[in-house]
Structures are given as structure tokens and as C-alpha cells.
């Protein structure tokens, strides 16, 4: 490892800002408990096989309806969740809630049809046709169910690997249509809502609240941002092999409230790019008239970024992400970057308070993006830059707990900001844990959703 040493800044007092994640999770589980309580309140007795099947189907249906609203709310990109909890963590919650929703939907369909069929003493096929064709709001609900299954199937990892991001994204947006189509039958057929104005009002409030979040944060807020700030490409220049920086100009960009370490979702209004919105981190601290991102050509979209022309209009949403200085718990920090993961950490390296060390893992010196900037920042602020490069024979340096401790004394007293490919991040997590760094001091954000 090559090292640049300078006089260190004095340690700063710890920053303690608790995440609202535990409170939000508690509220979500409390909502699920309230849904079960609603079923309990409106169920006098459960008798026989048909009654047990129908009762279980009703519970599954109510919980499925509840998780549908939760899914929509988690898709709304609410700033409190995106910046205080983290976009990647919220996305994982959304994915998990989606799996719960599909499982509950299957259970609801199977149990309700089986219960009704046992009660009417008819076949499952006959009962299915009767329910879909004769019951109120059920044709729309059946269409919504098909859409939800399509969304669930295309969200499976094996399917996503074989389809483009754009296809997955636009199919995923059909979740809104599915929720709309299935909403009516919940109130029309749900025994819990019959003659219960309070329950109906609460259900309407749940769904209208989720819809309001989507309307404001997914539609109105981005429109306001882009009309107000009028973003355009100012310049594009190469930083390293296959790595390009895009400078975006605009008006009053300081009013965006963006912080180093955060990202925006960018849509460049050029041929081949206008239909795709992709997250890229800020690779420099935001300025009042300029933002900068740095992109590695890893696919068709990122490779096309190098072809952008000055003056190209840009549509952006954000800022998002929680990999910021507010996550630190003490006065010393270690930034670990793998490949293009250097982009948010470069911005943090310039601005993060206290004593800061940056460890940059890359294949070769030719692959070091922003290297000149990093060393200039290190000289200016009194930080350290450590490089972990492959040997001339292609051998990879071993970043073990021992080598980390040798390079960064008192490592377990540092906050660690980590960004890089998933496999690299996982290996570093294991090494840092083995080196004694507590989980609360390891800060990581991933776009692998």
C-alpha cells in the first residue's frame, strides 16, 4: 500500500443521531396487529373445516390488503426514510414486504376458495368461477391479482438477471394499478367493514395516505425540483479507464439540501437514456451552481453517459441516501472504497470532520479514478490515502483484520464508511467485524436492490 501522511486534525466529539427505523418497524407491526384484532372483533366463532379455512383466508386477505398499502408507501421515496434510514435499507424492506404480500395473497386465494367450496359442497373450479364472475368487484380484483403475480415473478432474482432494468422497472410500476384494482373488493366483501364506519374510514385513510405520499414525493416534488433548478450537462470528462465525470449545472442548487455521500436518480434527456432513471452518487461536494457525478462504464446506460453533450437536459430526483457525516459516532473515520465506490467517499473525504483515512482498492494505478484529487485533498486537510492495488502478476492484496489494524491503528475506534461492489463490501464487513469494529460503526449503502 502506498501512503500519504499528513498532520491529523484533532478528534471531534461524537455525533449521536438515532435512526427512526426501530420506531417505524414497531409502527408497521402494530398496524398488522390491529388488522388481526379487526378480524377477531368481527368473528363470533369458527366452526368446522369450512369455518377454519374461511377464517384463515380472511386474516390472510386483511393482512395482504394492509401490506399492499405498506408497499406503496415504501415506494414513495419519502425523504425521512431515504435519508435517515437509508435508501438501500428501505428497498430491502420493500422487497421483503413484497414477498410477504405475494405469500399472503396465495394463502388468501387458496384458503378462501377452499373454505367456500367446502361450505357449498362444490368443486374448487366451480367455486373459483362463481367467486370471480358473481361476487361484486371480483373481476377487477382478479385482474389486479394477475398483475401482482407478474410483479412478484419479475422481481425474483433469477428473472431479474435475465431481463433489463427498464423492463423490471416499468412492470414494477404496475403495482399501483394492481392495488387500485383490488381495493374495491376489500370493502365490498370484507365482513370486517360491513356496517363499521370506523374500520372503513381507517382503511380509506391508510390507502389515501399511501397514495398522497406517492403523489407528492414521486410526482410533484420532482416536477418542482426540475422546474426550479433547470439542470443541464455542463461538461463530461474522463477520469480513468472507463470512468467518466459529468458536471451538471443548475440554479440555486444549494437549496436542494444535498450532502456529500448522497445520490440522485438521474435521467438524461438524450437518445437511449431518457427512459431510464439511474442512481449515481455525487463525487464532489455540491456547489450552488454545479453538481458532479462520476460513472464507470459497466453497462449500456453507464457507457452511454460518456457520449453526453453539453447542454443536454437532465431530470433528477433526490437527494437520497444516508451515507453522510451524520452517521459518524466519533471523531475518527476510515473510508474504504472498492472500484467506482470511490465516488461518494471522495466527497466525504473532502468534507468529513475529524481525523480521516481513505483506503482505495483498485486493480491497477490506471484504474484509480480521482486519484489526483484525493491526494490534493489529503495534503490540504491533513488526511491519509492508502492504496490497495493488484501486484504485477495480478495477485490481489489481502485486506485481512491484521493488515487493516497495521494500516489503521486503533481501528475499532473508527467509524468506517464502506462503498464498493457487493462481494467486496461483504468481504470487508467480515474483516472489519473480525478486527473488532462494532456493527454500529460500519456504515454502508448499496444500489444492489
Amino acid at each position: 500500500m502506498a501512503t500519504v501522511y499528513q498532520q491529523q486534525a484533532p478528534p471531534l466529539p461524537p455525533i449521536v443521531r438515532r435512526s427512526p427505523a426501530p420506531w417505524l418497524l414497531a409502527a408497521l407491526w402494530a398496524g398488522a396487529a390491529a388488522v388481526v384484532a379487526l378480524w377477531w372483533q368481527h368473528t363470533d366463532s369458527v366452526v368446522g373445516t369450512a369455518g377454519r379455512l374461511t377464517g384463515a383466508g380472511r386474516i390472510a386477505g386483511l393482512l395482504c390488503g394492509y401490506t399492499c398499502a405498506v408497499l406503496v408507501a415504501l415506494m414513495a421515496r419519502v425523504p425521512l426514510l431515504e435519508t435517515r434510514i437509508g435508501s438501500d435499507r428501505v428497498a430491502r424492506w420493500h422487497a421483503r414486504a413484497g414477498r410477504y404480500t405475494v405469500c399472503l395473497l396465495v394463502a388468501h386465494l387458496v384458503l378462501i376458495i377452499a373454505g367456500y367450496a367446502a361450505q357449498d359442497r362444490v368443486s374448487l373450479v366451480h367455486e373459483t368461477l362463481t367467486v370471480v364472475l358473481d361476487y361484486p368487484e371480483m373481476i377487477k380484483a382478479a385482474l389486479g391479482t394477475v398483475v401482482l403475480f407478474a410483479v412478484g415473478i419479475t422481481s425474483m432474482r433469477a428473472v431479474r438477471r435475465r431481463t433489463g432494468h427498464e423492463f423490471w422497472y416499468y412492470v414494477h410500476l404496475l403495482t399501483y394499478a394492481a392495488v387500485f384494482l383490488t381495493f374495491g373488493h376489500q370493502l365490498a366483501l370484507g365482513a370486517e367493514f360491513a356496517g363499521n364506519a370506523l374500520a372503513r374510514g381507517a382503511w380509506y385513510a391508510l390507502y389515501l395516505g399511501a397514495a398522497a405520499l406517492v403523489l407528492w414525493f414521486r410526482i410533484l416534488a420532482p416536477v418542482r425540483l426540475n422546474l426550479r433548478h433547470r439542470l443541464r450537462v455542463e461538461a463530461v470528462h474522463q477520469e480513468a479507464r472507463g470512468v467518466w465525470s459529468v458536471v451538471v449545472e443548475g440554479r440555486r442548487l444549494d437549496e436542494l439540501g444535498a450532502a456529500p455521500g448522497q445520490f440522485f436518480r438521474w435521467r438524461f434527456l438524450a437518445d437511449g437514456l431518457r427512459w431510464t432513471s439511474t442512481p449515481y452518487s455525487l463525487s464532489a461536494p455540491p456547489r450552488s451552481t454545479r453538481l458532479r457525478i462520476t460513472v464507470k462504464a459497466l453497462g449500456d446506460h453507464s457507457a452511454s453517459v460518456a457520449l453526453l453533450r453539453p447542454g443536454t437536459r437532465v431530470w433528477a430526483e433526490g437527494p437520497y441516501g444516508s451515507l453522510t457525516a451524520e452517521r459518524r459516532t466519533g471523531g475518527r473515520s476510515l473510508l474504504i472504497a472498492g472500484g467506482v465506490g470511490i465516488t461518494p467517499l471522495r466527497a466525504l473525504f473532502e468534507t468529513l470532520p475529524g481525523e480521516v483515512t481513505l483506503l482505495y482498492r483498485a486493480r491497477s494505478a490506471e484504474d484509480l479514478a480521482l486519484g489526483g484529487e484525493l491526494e490534493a485533498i489529503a495534503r490540504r486537510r491533513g488526511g491519509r490515502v492508502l492504496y490497495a492495488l493488484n501486484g504485477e502478476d495480478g495477485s490481489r492484496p489481502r485486506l485481512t483484520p491484521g493488515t487493516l489494524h497495521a494500516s489503521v491503528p486503533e481501528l475499532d475506534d473508527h467509524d468506517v464508511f464502506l462503498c464498493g461492489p457487493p462481494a467486496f463490501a461483504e468481504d470487508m464487513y467480515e474483516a472489519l467485524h473480525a478486527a473488532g469494529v462494532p456493527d454500529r460503526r460500519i456504515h454502508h449503502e448499496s444500489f444492489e436492490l
Side-chain angles (χ1 to χ4, degrees):
M1 295 185 187
T3 310
V4 177
Y5 291 95
Q6 293 291 331
Q7 182 180 0
Q8 302 297 325
L12 296 183
I15 298 295
V16 179
R17 187 177 184 184
R18 297 188 182 280
S19 168
W23 294 103
L24 179 59
L25 287 174
L28 293 177
W29 283 110
V35 168
V36 176
L38 178 65
W39 171 84
W40 182 272
Q41 181 184 4
H42 291 83
T43 302
D44 295 330
S45 61
V46 177
V47 180
T49 300
R52 286 190 289 272
L53 289 171
T54 304
R58 286 170 54 198
I59 294 175
L62 285 169
L63 288 173
C64 182
Y66 171 72
T67 56
C68 279
V70 171
L71 276 178
V72 171
L74 291 176
M75 291 172 68
R77 297 177 186 165
V78 179
L80 175 65
L81 306 186
E82 298 282 328
T83 60
R84 293 290 306 281
I85 295 176
S87 299
D88 59 340
R89 191 174 184 185
V90 173
R92 288 193 296 271
W93 288 359
H94 172 74
R96 186 177 303 170
R99 291 191 287 271
Y100 290 159
T101 300
V102 172
C103 291
L104 288 167
L105 179 59
V106 172
H108 173 62
L109 293 175
V110 172
L111 293 168
I112 282 290
I113 295 297
Y116 286 175
Q119 178 180 301
D120 298 338
R121 300 180 183 277
V122 298
S123 69
L124 293 175
V125 173
H126 182 275
E127 191 63 42
T128 300
L129 292 174
T130 300
V131 169
V132 172
L133 298 177
D134 296 343
Y135 283 37
E137 299 285 341
M138 277 306 302
I139 292 180
K140 289 194 301 182
L143 293 174
T145 298
V146 171
V147 173
L148 279 176
F149 278 131
V151 173
I153 291 171
T154 56
S155 296
M156 297 170 61
R157 288 184 182 271
V159 177
R160 286 194 62 182
R161 292 192 190 102
R162 292 170 171 79
T163 58
H165 174 79
E166 294 85 355
F167 175 80
W168 169 84
Y169 176 76
Y170 288 111
V171 170
H172 214 66
L173 288 180
L174 293 176
T175 302
Y176 299 126
V179 172
F180 173 78
L181 289 169
T182 58
F183 178 74
H185 93 285
Q186 298 176 50
L187 298 180
L189 299 177
E192 295 77 13
F193 302 108
N196 189 338
L198 180 60
R200 293 174 68 89
W203 213 247
Y204 271 113
L206 175 67
Y207 273 76
L208 290 175
L213 291 176
V214 171
L215 176 64
W216 180 256
F217 293 113
R218 292 294 298 266
I219 300 175
L220 298 180
V223 168
R224 177 181 181 274
L225 182 156
N226 288 279
L227 291 178
R228 181 178 182 83
H229 299 290
R230 300 186 180 278
L231 304 175
R232 292 182 181 272
V233 173
E234 181 182 88
V236 180
H237 52 270
Q238 190 170 14
E239 299 287 0
R241 183 168 50 193
V243 180
W244 300 79
S245 281
V246 181
V247 179
V248 177
E249 62 178 350
R251 304 184 303 179
R252 302 190 299 273
L253 299 183
D254 51 322
E255 297 176 5
L256 289 171
Q262 290 189 306
F263 67 93
F264 286 77
R265 298 180 187 272
W266 304 90
R267 189 187 303 273
F268 299 101
L269 304 185
D271 292 342
L273 295 175
R274 66 178 69 249
W275 299 111
T276 302
S277 176
T278 306
Y280 293 124
S281 297
L282 299 176
S283 62
R287 309 301 182 192
S288 60
T289 59
R290 289 178 179 83
L291 303 173
R292 191 185 74 176
I293 60 174
T294 301
V295 180
K296 184 175 179 62
L298 298 173
D300 292 341
H301 184 277
S302 53
S304 298
V305 168
L307 304 178
L308 288 171
R309 295 290 179 261
T312 301
R313 293 179 60 190
V314 181
W315 184 274
E317 299 177 40
Y320 301 124
S322 62
L323 196 69
T324 66
E326 291 186 350
R327 301 258 316 249
R328 67 186 182 88
T329 63
R332 293 190 288 186
S333 301
L334 168 64
L335 313 181
I336 303 180
V340 78
I342 189 62
T343 52
L345 300 190
R346 181 264 179 243
L348 281 173
F349 189 47
E350 181 175 345
T351 58
L352 197 64
E355 177 184 318
V356 184
T357 300
L358 172 65
L359 171 58
Y360 189 178
R361 168 76 181 97
R363 288 191 180 91
S364 66
E366 290 75 21
D367 294 307
L368 292 173
L370 311 172
E373 294 183 15
L374 297 174
E375 300 210 14
I377 293 169
R379 290 191 296 270
R380 185 167 62 250
R381 68 163 296 158
R384 292 198 299 156
V385 181
L386 311 176
Y387 300 109
L389 307 177
N390 290 358
E392 293 183 359
D393 59 353
S395 59
R396 296 168 59 89
R398 296 186 62 196
L399 297 177
T400 65
T403 58
L404 290 173
H405 263 301
S407 302
V408 186
E410 299 181 335
L411 175 62
D412 54 348
D413 192 40
H414 284 66
D415 281 289
V416 181
F417 293 80
L418 174 61
C419 190
F424 171 80
E426 184 176 347
D427 290 343
M428 293 310 306
Y429 250 117
E430 294 177 0
L432 290 166
H433 284 154
V437 182
D439 193 67
R440 63 185 177 84
R441 286 183 177 269
I442 303 176
H443 315 299
H444 172 245
E445 199 160 43
S446 171
F447 296 146
E448 295 289 323
L449 308 179

